[in-house]
mmCIF file of all heavy atoms in Angstrom:
data_model
loop_
_atom_site.group_PDB
_atom_site.id
_atom_site.type_symbol
_atom_site.label_atom_id
_atom_site.label_comp_id
_atom_site.label_asym_id
_atom_site.label_seq_id
_atom_site.Cartn_x
_atom_site.Cartn_y
_atom_site.Cartn_z
ATOM 1 N N PHE A 626 9.693 -4.954 -14.695
ATOM 2 C CA PHE A 626 9.934 -6.323 -14.248
ATOM 3 C C PHE A 626 8.663 -7.155 -14.082
ATOM 4 O O PHE A 626 8.712 -8.379 -14.183
ATOM 5 C CB PHE A 626 10.723 -6.296 -12.934
ATOM 6 C CG PHE A 626 12.032 -5.588 -13.063
ATOM 7 C CD1 PHE A 626 12.166 -4.254 -12.714
ATOM 8 C CD2 PHE A 626 13.133 -6.237 -13.600
ATOM 9 C CE1 PHE A 626 13.366 -3.594 -12.866
ATOM 10 C CE2 PHE A 626 14.338 -5.579 -13.762
ATOM 11 C CZ PHE A 626 14.458 -4.260 -13.398
ATOM 12 N N TYR A 627 7.545 -6.503 -13.829
ATOM 13 C CA TYR A 627 6.301 -7.261 -13.685
ATOM 14 C C TYR A 627 5.935 -7.952 -15.001
ATOM 15 O O TYR A 627 6.049 -7.371 -16.083
ATOM 16 C CB TYR A 627 5.151 -6.338 -13.290
ATOM 17 C CG TYR A 627 5.065 -6.056 -11.812
ATOM 18 C CD1 TYR A 627 4.629 -4.813 -11.354
ATOM 19 C CD2 TYR A 627 5.400 -7.024 -10.863
ATOM 20 C CE1 TYR A 627 4.534 -4.543 -9.996
ATOM 21 C CE2 TYR A 627 5.315 -6.750 -9.513
ATOM 22 C CZ TYR A 627 4.884 -5.524 -9.078
ATOM 23 O OH TYR A 627 4.796 -5.266 -7.733
ATOM 24 N N ARG A 628 5.459 -9.175 -14.883
ATOM 25 C CA ARG A 628 4.872 -9.842 -16.039
ATOM 26 C C ARG A 628 3.516 -9.193 -16.324
ATOM 27 O O ARG A 628 2.881 -8.654 -15.441
ATOM 28 C CB ARG A 628 4.692 -11.343 -15.761
ATOM 29 C CG ARG A 628 6.014 -12.079 -15.589
ATOM 30 C CD ARG A 628 5.812 -13.520 -15.161
ATOM 31 N NE ARG A 628 5.073 -13.588 -13.908
ATOM 32 C CZ ARG A 628 3.884 -14.187 -13.774
ATOM 33 N NH1 ARG A 628 3.315 -14.749 -14.808
ATOM 34 N NH2 ARG A 628 3.279 -14.215 -12.605
ATOM 35 N N LYS A 629 3.082 -9.226 -17.584
ATOM 36 C CA LYS A 629 1.832 -8.578 -17.976
ATOM 37 C C LYS A 629 0.777 -9.622 -18.358
ATOM 38 O O LYS A 629 1.100 -10.678 -18.917
ATOM 39 C CB LYS A 629 2.076 -7.645 -19.171
ATOM 40 C CG LYS A 629 3.125 -6.563 -18.923
ATOM 41 C CD LYS A 629 2.682 -5.581 -17.867
ATOM 42 C CE LYS A 629 3.567 -4.343 -17.818
ATOM 43 N NZ LYS A 629 4.953 -4.635 -17.484
ATOM 44 N N ASP A 630 -0.508 -9.283 -18.036
ATOM 45 C CA ASP A 630 -1.593 -10.159 -18.467
ATOM 46 C C ASP A 630 -2.002 -9.789 -19.895
ATOM 47 O O ASP A 630 -1.362 -8.961 -20.545
ATOM 48 C CB ASP A 630 -2.783 -10.057 -17.509
ATOM 49 C CG ASP A 630 -3.358 -8.639 -17.424
ATOM 50 O OD1 ASP A 630 -3.124 -7.839 -18.355
ATOM 51 O OD2 ASP A 630 -4.043 -8.343 -16.433
ATOM 52 N N GLU A 631 -3.083 -10.388 -20.386
ATOM 53 C CA GLU A 631 -3.489 -10.177 -21.773
ATOM 54 C C GLU A 631 -3.860 -8.727 -22.057
ATOM 55 O O GLU A 631 -3.765 -8.261 -23.188
ATOM 56 C CB GLU A 631 -4.677 -11.092 -22.101
ATOM 57 C CG GLU A 631 -4.318 -12.580 -22.071
ATOM 58 C CD GLU A 631 -5.521 -13.452 -22.356
ATOM 59 O OE1 GLU A 631 -6.636 -12.895 -22.500
ATOM 60 O OE2 GLU A 631 -5.354 -14.675 -22.438
ATOM 61 N N LYS A 632 -4.280 -7.984 -21.031
ATOM 62 C CA LYS A 632 -4.661 -6.592 -21.208
ATOM 63 C C LYS A 632 -3.500 -5.622 -20.969
ATOM 64 O O LYS A 632 -3.662 -4.417 -21.005
ATOM 65 C CB LYS A 632 -5.812 -6.247 -20.269
ATOM 66 C CG LYS A 632 -7.093 -7.020 -20.565
ATOM 67 C CD LYS A 632 -8.203 -6.595 -19.617
ATOM 68 C CE LYS A 632 -9.491 -7.345 -19.920
ATOM 69 N NZ LYS A 632 -10.587 -6.945 -18.997
ATOM 70 N N GLY A 633 -2.319 -6.172 -20.707
ATOM 71 C CA GLY A 633 -1.149 -5.334 -20.480
ATOM 72 C C GLY A 633 -0.994 -4.845 -19.062
ATOM 73 O O GLY A 633 -0.120 -4.028 -18.776
ATOM 74 N N ASN A 634 -1.837 -5.325 -18.149
ATOM 75 C CA ASN A 634 -1.738 -4.941 -16.748
ATOM 76 C C ASN A 634 -0.762 -5.847 -16.006
ATOM 77 O O ASN A 634 -0.498 -6.976 -16.434
ATOM 78 C CB ASN A 634 -3.116 -5.022 -16.078
ATOM 79 C CG ASN A 634 -4.118 -4.087 -16.729
ATOM 80 O OD1 ASN A 634 -3.797 -2.938 -17.038
ATOM 81 N ND2 ASN A 634 -5.333 -4.566 -16.956
ATOM 82 N N ALA A 635 -0.240 -5.353 -14.897
ATOM 83 C CA ALA A 635 0.699 -6.154 -14.111
ATOM 84 C C ALA A 635 0.010 -7.424 -13.610
ATOM 85 O O ALA A 635 -1.085 -7.381 -13.056
ATOM 86 C CB ALA A 635 1.219 -5.344 -12.940
ATOM 87 N N ASP A 636 0.651 -8.554 -13.827
ATOM 88 C CA ASP A 636 0.126 -9.850 -13.385
ATOM 89 C C ASP A 636 0.802 -10.208 -12.067
ATOM 90 O O ASP A 636 1.977 -10.570 -12.048
ATOM 91 C CB ASP A 636 0.405 -10.908 -14.447
ATOM 92 C CG ASP A 636 -0.145 -12.279 -14.076
ATOM 93 O OD1 ASP A 636 -0.771 -12.393 -12.995
ATOM 94 O OD2 ASP A 636 0.049 -13.229 -14.849
ATOM 95 N N LEU A 637 0.053 -10.103 -10.966
ATOM 96 C CA LEU A 637 0.616 -10.352 -9.640
ATOM 97 C C LEU A 637 0.222 -11.723 -9.104
ATOM 98 O O LEU A 637 0.361 -11.994 -7.917
ATOM 99 C CB LEU A 637 0.157 -9.257 -8.665
ATOM 100 C CG LEU A 637 0.393 -7.810 -9.108
ATOM 101 C CD1 LEU A 637 -0.047 -6.848 -8.009
ATOM 102 C CD2 LEU A 637 1.840 -7.584 -9.466
ATOM 103 N N ALA A 638 -0.269 -12.581 -9.987
ATOM 104 C CA ALA A 638 -0.775 -13.880 -9.544
ATOM 105 C C ALA A 638 0.330 -14.880 -9.220
ATOM 106 O O ALA A 638 0.078 -15.914 -8.615
ATOM 107 C CB ALA A 638 -1.696 -14.470 -10.611
ATOM 108 N N GLY A 639 1.531 -14.592 -9.612
ATOM 109 C CA GLY A 639 2.631 -15.515 -9.334
ATOM 110 C C GLY A 639 2.944 -16.420 -10.506
ATOM 111 O O GLY A 639 2.097 -16.673 -11.369
ATOM 112 N N ARG A 640 4.148 -16.911 -10.530
ATOM 113 C CA ARG A 640 4.598 -17.791 -11.612
ATOM 114 C C ARG A 640 4.055 -19.200 -11.442
ATOM 115 O O ARG A 640 3.757 -19.638 -10.333
ATOM 116 C CB ARG A 640 6.128 -17.870 -11.630
ATOM 117 C CG ARG A 640 6.831 -16.578 -11.936
ATOM 118 C CD ARG A 640 8.312 -16.842 -11.959
ATOM 119 N NE ARG A 640 9.055 -15.649 -12.329
ATOM 120 C CZ ARG A 640 10.185 -15.669 -13.016
ATOM 121 N NH1 ARG A 640 10.685 -16.827 -13.413
ATOM 122 N NH2 ARG A 640 10.814 -14.557 -13.303
ATOM 123 N N ALA A 641 3.995 -19.904 -12.578
ATOM 124 C CA ALA A 641 3.647 -21.324 -12.532
ATOM 125 C C ALA A 641 4.832 -22.121 -12.006
ATOM 126 O O ALA A 641 5.988 -21.667 -12.076
ATOM 127 C CB ALA A 641 3.260 -21.809 -13.926
ATOM 128 N N TYR A 642 4.548 -23.291 -11.475
ATOM 129 C CA TYR A 642 5.613 -24.154 -10.948
ATOM 130 C C TYR A 642 6.569 -24.518 -12.079
ATOM 131 O O TYR A 642 6.151 -24.986 -13.141
ATOM 132 C CB TYR A 642 5.003 -25.419 -10.352
ATOM 133 C CG TYR A 642 5.982 -26.287 -9.594
ATOM 134 C CD1 TYR A 642 6.392 -25.936 -8.314
ATOM 135 C CD2 TYR A 642 6.490 -27.452 -10.169
ATOM 136 C CE1 TYR A 642 7.281 -26.725 -7.612
ATOM 137 C CE2 TYR A 642 7.380 -28.255 -9.472
ATOM 138 C CZ TYR A 642 7.777 -27.889 -8.189
ATOM 139 O OH TYR A 642 8.658 -28.677 -7.500
ATOM 140 N N PRO A 643 7.861 -24.313 -11.909
ATOM 141 C CA PRO A 643 8.808 -24.505 -13.016
ATOM 142 C C PRO A 643 9.167 -25.978 -13.242
ATOM 143 O O PRO A 643 9.109 -26.802 -12.340
ATOM 144 C CB PRO A 643 10.047 -23.727 -12.545
ATOM 145 C CG PRO A 643 9.986 -23.809 -11.053
ATOM 146 C CD PRO A 643 8.522 -23.781 -10.691
ATOM 147 N N ASP A 644 9.543 -26.274 -14.482
ATOM 148 C CA ASP A 644 10.027 -27.616 -14.819
ATOM 149 C C ASP A 644 11.503 -27.766 -14.475
ATOM 150 O O ASP A 644 12.012 -28.882 -14.358
ATOM 151 C CB ASP A 644 9.835 -27.877 -16.318
ATOM 152 C CG ASP A 644 8.372 -27.893 -16.711
ATOM 153 O OD1 ASP A 644 7.549 -28.358 -15.893
ATOM 154 O OD2 ASP A 644 8.058 -27.429 -17.821
ATOM 155 N N THR A 645 12.201 -26.631 -14.339
ATOM 156 C CA THR A 645 13.626 -26.644 -14.029
ATOM 157 C C THR A 645 13.848 -26.194 -12.590
ATOM 158 O O THR A 645 12.918 -25.787 -11.898
ATOM 159 C CB THR A 645 14.381 -25.693 -14.970
ATOM 160 O OG1 THR A 645 13.831 -24.372 -14.825
ATOM 161 C CG2 THR A 645 14.238 -26.136 -16.414
ATOM 162 N N ARG A 646 15.108 -26.269 -12.147
ATOM 163 C CA ARG A 646 15.508 -25.710 -10.858
ATOM 164 C C ARG A 646 16.709 -24.815 -11.118
ATOM 165 O O ARG A 646 17.841 -25.141 -10.767
ATOM 166 C CB ARG A 646 15.841 -26.811 -9.855
ATOM 167 C CG ARG A 646 14.622 -27.619 -9.422
ATOM 168 C CD ARG A 646 14.899 -28.467 -8.204
ATOM 169 N NE ARG A 646 13.685 -29.068 -7.682
ATOM 170 C CZ ARG A 646 13.582 -29.657 -6.490
ATOM 171 N NH1 ARG A 646 14.654 -29.714 -5.698
ATOM 172 N NH2 ARG A 646 12.450 -30.176 -6.089
ATOM 173 N N ARG A 647 16.404 -23.683 -11.756
ATOM 174 C CA ARG A 647 17.473 -22.779 -12.182
ATOM 175 C C ARG A 647 17.543 -21.590 -11.229
ATOM 176 O O ARG A 647 16.603 -20.814 -11.093
ATOM 177 C CB ARG A 647 17.240 -22.295 -13.609
ATOM 178 C CG ARG A 647 18.378 -21.405 -14.131
ATOM 179 C CD ARG A 647 18.162 -20.981 -15.565
ATOM 180 N NE ARG A 647 18.167 -22.115 -16.464
ATOM 181 C CZ ARG A 647 17.117 -22.510 -17.177
ATOM 182 N NH1 ARG A 647 15.975 -21.842 -17.086
ATOM 183 N NH2 ARG A 647 17.208 -23.541 -17.970
ATOM 184 N N LEU A 648 18.688 -21.461 -10.582
ATOM 185 C CA LEU A 648 18.940 -20.333 -9.692
ATOM 186 C C LEU A 648 19.553 -19.204 -10.508
ATOM 187 O O LEU A 648 20.262 -19.446 -11.486
ATOM 188 C CB LEU A 648 19.890 -20.747 -8.572
ATOM 189 C CG LEU A 648 19.590 -22.081 -7.867
ATOM 190 C CD1 LEU A 648 20.620 -22.353 -6.785
ATOM 191 C CD2 LEU A 648 18.176 -22.090 -7.319
ATOM 192 N N VAL A 649 19.308 -17.952 -10.106
ATOM 193 C CA VAL A 649 19.847 -16.825 -10.858
ATOM 194 C C VAL A 649 20.372 -15.760 -9.895
ATOM 195 O O VAL A 649 19.761 -15.482 -8.861
ATOM 196 C CB VAL A 649 18.790 -16.228 -11.823
ATOM 197 C CG1 VAL A 649 17.574 -15.724 -11.065
ATOM 198 C CG2 VAL A 649 19.387 -15.109 -12.674
ATOM 199 N N THR A 650 21.525 -15.213 -10.255
ATOM 200 C CA THR A 650 22.112 -14.055 -9.571
ATOM 201 C C THR A 650 22.352 -12.984 -10.614
ATOM 202 O O THR A 650 22.830 -13.273 -11.714
ATOM 203 C CB THR A 650 23.451 -14.442 -8.903
ATOM 204 O OG1 THR A 650 23.207 -15.304 -7.799
ATOM 205 C CG2 THR A 650 24.192 -13.214 -8.413
ATOM 206 N N VAL A 651 22.024 -11.731 -10.283
ATOM 207 C CA VAL A 651 22.202 -10.619 -11.215
ATOM 208 C C VAL A 651 23.017 -9.536 -10.523
ATOM 209 O O VAL A 651 22.718 -9.159 -9.384
ATOM 210 C CB VAL A 651 20.845 -10.039 -11.651
ATOM 211 C CG1 VAL A 651 21.039 -8.856 -12.600
ATOM 212 C CG2 VAL A 651 19.987 -11.110 -12.322
ATOM 213 N N GLY A 652 24.044 -9.036 -11.217
ATOM 214 C CA GLY A 652 24.808 -7.935 -10.631
ATOM 215 C C GLY A 652 26.271 -7.957 -11.013
ATOM 216 O O GLY A 652 26.728 -8.791 -11.796
ATOM 217 N N ARG A 653 27.000 -7.052 -10.408
ATOM 218 C CA ARG A 653 28.429 -6.910 -10.668
ATOM 219 C C ARG A 653 29.193 -8.056 -10.010
ATOM 220 O O ARG A 653 28.951 -8.390 -8.848
ATOM 221 C CB ARG A 653 28.915 -5.563 -10.107
ATOM 222 C CG ARG A 653 30.366 -5.245 -10.363
ATOM 223 C CD ARG A 653 30.655 -3.807 -9.917
ATOM 224 N NE ARG A 653 32.045 -3.474 -10.131
ATOM 225 C CZ ARG A 653 33.014 -3.688 -9.249
ATOM 226 N NH1 ARG A 653 32.712 -4.214 -8.076
ATOM 227 N NH2 ARG A 653 34.253 -3.354 -9.511
ATOM 228 N N LEU A 654 30.103 -8.650 -10.741
ATOM 229 C CA LEU A 654 30.870 -9.785 -10.223
ATOM 230 C C LEU A 654 32.130 -9.255 -9.526
ATOM 231 O O LEU A 654 33.136 -8.955 -10.156
ATOM 232 C CB LEU A 654 31.241 -10.745 -11.356
ATOM 233 C CG LEU A 654 30.068 -11.260 -12.205
ATOM 234 C CD1 LEU A 654 30.537 -12.344 -13.156
ATOM 235 C CD2 LEU A 654 28.925 -11.744 -11.332
#
């Protein structure tokens, strides 16, 4: 689930501010 940097390591710096406001739910309905 971690995003990767250019060297393939986990990028823990956080996401950029999004242009959208999209909420997400994952799982069994």
Side-chain angles (χ1 to χ4, degrees):
F626 301 96
Y627 276 146
R628 294 174 302 119
K629 302 294 192 298
D630 60 21
E631 294 178 356
K632 296 182 179 180
N634 299 317
D636 182 1
L637 308 183
R640 296 182 177 213
Y642 189 77
D644 296 325
T645 58
R646 292 194 171 193
R647 183 178 296 116
L648 314 180
V649 60
T650 290
V651 179
R653 183 173 179 272
L654 305 188

